[in-house]
Amino acid sequence: LMSSYQFFLVLCSQRIPNLQVIPPAEITAIHGASILRLNLQNAKASLSCCYERAGDWERALHLLARSGRTIEQAQLLARIGRVEEGFLVLFAEGDLRAAWNLLSSYGGTFPSLAEPLVKVAEWLDAKGDTTAAISAVQRATAGMPVRRELLPALYTLAELLERHGDLHTAEEAWRKILEFDYSWGDAAQRLSATIARRSSAERGRHPTTERPGEVFADATSRYVLGDLVGRGGMGAVYRAQDTRL
């Protein structure tokens, strides 16, 4: 009688010339090795959970790293208070989404992560999520005194805020850079452009009927004085009515 495997080989040899046949014993060995490999990975994951429950963090982390379970490794690092290390594990693997998701689920500011967070912010912005990109850079800069290593992050933050339409906060970011180093890059030119853009936007929201030069030239006829409010050593204060409002 022919085994099912032998019957399969006969059919294949008829349809595929020069078929290289693997003996059944070798197939069994390969299959067994795959199962063993899978079982070992599962065993390492289970053992790492046991080590974690026992408080042996380093052994648990070692097993997760050896078995290639980077997400579980990063999550464990975060749970034991080593959030920055967990972020960097995922960042080194190129999994920027997982790295940002991990960091954004924990509070705090991480100035030591300024450089990788700028890269995450650029990636998020390229994906169309400018709000998340701004949040990513702020996790490196919020509430921190300005240092030279934070200047690239502040620059990126100012650019993102401009694109997001938050010109007032963008202006503040440019000013922080210039207060620390007035000659840093093109920050001075960018600040001037942001101020001009913001002023233009505010004029659009609050249009005026005055002609250029009219505000000061015709001030006496514009305002009508009313009752005296108070008097002091520097002069008197009166209520006034703006006849053009």
Side-chain angles (χ1 to χ4, degrees), residues 96-150:
L96 302 188
R97 172 62 69 184
W100 171 238
N101 288 342
L102 177 76
L103 194 70
S104 60
S105 62
Y106 289 86
T109 306
F110 305 93
S112 64
L113 298 178
E115 185 176 348
L117 279 172
V118 165
K119 291 182 171 60
V120 169
E122 291 170 347
W123 179 80
L124 288 167
D125 186 48
K127 295 290 183 182
D129 196 349
T130 306
T131 302
I134 291 170
S135 297
V137 185
Q138 287 175 332
R139 295 303 296 274
T141 61
M144 301 302 300
V146 180
R147 306 197 299 263
R148 185 160 299 278
E149 57 269 25
L150 292 181

Side-chain angles (χ1 to χ4, degrees), residues 34 38 64 67 81 91 94 97 102 125 149 154 175-176 185 213:
S34 300
L38 180 61
L64 290 171
S67 58
F91 183 82
R97 172 62 69 184
L102 177 76
D125 186 48
E149 57 269 25
L154 285 169
R175 289 187 188 280
K176 283 183 180 180

Side-chain angles (χ1 to χ4, degrees), residues 11 14 18 22 42 48 58 60 62 69 86-87 111 122 153 163-164 213 216 223 243-244:
L11 289 177
Q14 291 174 353
N18 303 320
I22 302 176
N42 292 335
S48 70
E58 294 307 320
H62 177 73
R69 295 174 177 265
F87 171 88
E122 291 170 347
R163 284 204 289 276
H164 195 56
F216 300 105
Y223 300 101
T243 60
R244 297 185 187 176

Side-chain angles (χ1 to χ4, degrees), residues 154-220:
L154 285 169
Y155 189 97
T156 301
L157 177 61
E159 285 188 315
L160 291 169
L161 288 166
E162 279 189 23
R163 284 204 289 276
H164 195 56
D166 190 349
L167 300 179
H168 179 73
T169 312
E171 185 179 325
E172 290 180 351
W174 291 124
R175 289 187 188 280
K176 283 183 180 180
I177 294 172
L178 294 172
E179 286 170 4
F180 185 86
D181 184 352
Y182 191 81
S183 62
W184 203 83
D186 63 346
Q189 292 84 355
R190 298 296 296 269
L191 174 61
S192 298
T194 303
I195 292 172
R197 185 180 164 193
R198 183 169 66 84
S199 299
S200 176
E202 289 176 352
R203 283 197 301 271
R205 288 195 299 270
H206 305 288
T208 179
T209 59
E210 296 160 347
R211 294 185 296 275
E214 188 180 18
V215 175
F216 300 105
D218 197 24
T220 55

